[in-house]
Amino acid sequence: MTVLFGQLFTGISIGAVLLLIALGLALTFGQMNVINMAHGEFIMAGAYTTYVLQQSITGAGLSLVVALPVAFVVAGTMGVLLEVLLIRRLYARPLDTLLVTWGVSLMLQQLARDVFGSPNVQTRAPDLLTGNVALPGGLTIANNRLFILALALAAVAALTLALRLTPLGRRIRAVVQNRDLAAVSGIPTARVDRTTFFLGSGLAGLAGVALTLLGPIGPTMGTNLIIDAFLVVVVGGIGQLKGSVIVAFALGVLQATGEYLTTLSVAKVIVFVAIVAFLQWRPQGLFTLRTRSLA
């Protein structure tokens, strides 16, 4: 039973990481149909923001608290610039957005190498997040994993409330359901797109801050994360936040179980095979978006 609960929490913690890196992509990809390959570099920007702040703020705990909003703003601003300068002209050409944002991601990786160097760097974790929580039965849970889980759930709750209860959320949902009808109804779709890109990219920055607690950061860390983010969004259903939440934790538990029974490499193969089989059965994803399209 101890092993079962241990693997279950390991899977949940992996799912929390997947959810954090995919949450912003679920927002931008779902609404704007933009294949943003630079999303991983926004995560990298959030991670390096934490690193830079720790050079001037000596306390690891204080620097982490400050890094959360600062990384959100930094990554969100990068997303807005990308939308205004490039993506705005490519909304009707999704494959072109893939190529353009892939080029942007390579440029951002090289910029990170020029500024911070090619070797990975390590940030300091607060003392509160370096230990473990001991539970009955000999089960231990890492504090940093608990923090990431809490951060992921808080981000989901905040985003859900914003989409359901605020005027901005209603405008976003209107544009998602039918962009043309929203535009003729007086909703400024261009402004909604910029705001959505800011929020989605800012959430990527939060994910970058969280990932500094799990290991070193480097210029190519986004490349290692972007595929997992897209898998979560596509399997959950385009534009479906609840689908991304369910799929992130399901894939996390599946990967943890596979790692326990086999090896890390085999577990990755098992996850990919399960995703392919699921999409063969349900290509639209776990949930589908209901629209008011007249076409």
Side-chain angles (χ1 to χ4, degrees):
M1 188 62 69
T2 300
V3 173
L4 176 63
F5 280 113
Q7 290 306 117
L8 179 61
F9 180 78
T10 300
I12 291 174
S13 64
I14 294 174
V17 174
L18 291 175
L19 180 58
L20 267 180
I21 65 177
L23 194 57
L25 194 64
L27 191 61
T28 55
F29 189 29
Q31 176 189 338
M32 300 148 85
N33 198 26
V34 171
I35 307 174
N36 182 17
M37 298 300 293
H39 184 80
E41 278 56 52
F42 296 155
I43 297 175
M44 176 194 69
Y48 273 118
T49 298
T50 307
Y51 174 75
V52 170
L53 287 174
Q54 286 196 351
Q55 308 308 306
S56 55
I57 301 177
T58 55
L62 179 60
S63 64
L64 180 65
V65 172
V66 174
L68 289 171
V70 173
F72 185 91
V73 173
V74 169
T77 303
M78 292 173 62
V80 170
L81 291 175
L82 178 63
E83 195 276 337
V84 171
L85 297 177
L86 294 174
I87 292 178
R88 179 184 297 179
R89 299 165 175 81
L90 302 171
Y91 280 132
R93 297 144 58 188
L95 291 181
D96 288 348
T97 64
L98 185 152
L99 295 175
V100 168
T101 56
W102 176 252
V104 171
S105 72
L106 295 179
M107 293 171 60
L108 292 175
Q109 288 178 27
Q110 187 58 48
L111 179 62
R113 291 189 185 95
D114 294 339
V115 175
F116 301 104
S118 297
N120 290 351
V121 296
Q122 184 72 52
T123 60
R124 305 185 310 276
D127 294 337
L128 184 63
L129 301 181
T130 56
N132 298 313
V133 176
L135 299 179
L139 181 64
T140 59
I141 299 175
N143 290 343
N144 58 350
R145 295 282 183 172
L146 281 175
F147 174 79
I148 292 175
L149 176 60
L151 182 62
L153 294 178
V156 170
L159 184 58
T160 301
L161 292 175
L163 291 176
R164 290 181 178 272
L165 302 180
T166 66
L168 173 62
R170 289 191 288 270
R171 289 194 291 268
I172 290 175
R173 288 187 285 121
V175 174
V176 169
Q177 292 186 8
N178 193 309
R179 176 179 293 272
D180 295 333
L181 186 58
V184 300
S185 300
I187 295 176
T189 57
R191 188 187 306 167
V192 172
D193 288 339
R194 287 195 300 271
T195 305
T196 304
F197 228 93
F198 177 81
L199 293 175
S201 303
L203 289 170
L206 288 183
V209 176
L211 290 175
T212 61
L213 299 173
L214 300 179
I217 59 177
T220 60
M221 65 178 296
T223 305
N224 302 326
L225 301 171
I226 188 65
I227 300 300
D228 290 336
F230 271 107
L231 288 176
V232 170
V233 173
V234 171
V235 176
I238 304 301
Q240 294 297 304
L241 183 59
K242 60 182 178 182
S244 297
V245 174
I246 294 172
V247 169
F249 287 114
L251 293 181
V253 172
L254 179 61
Q255 180 173 326
T257 304
E259 290 179 14
Y260 177 73
L261 297 176
T262 57
T263 63
L264 176 60
S265 300
V266 175
K268 284 287 187 182
V269 172
I270 293 173
V271 170
F272 280 121
V273 169
I275 290 173
V276 170
F278 179 81
L279 291 177
Q280 287 289 324
W281 169 63
R282 194 172 175 83
Q284 70 272 29
L286 187 62
F287 296 101
T288 56
L289 181 65
R290 293 178 296 177
T291 70
R292 296 182 182 273
S293 175
L294 301 178

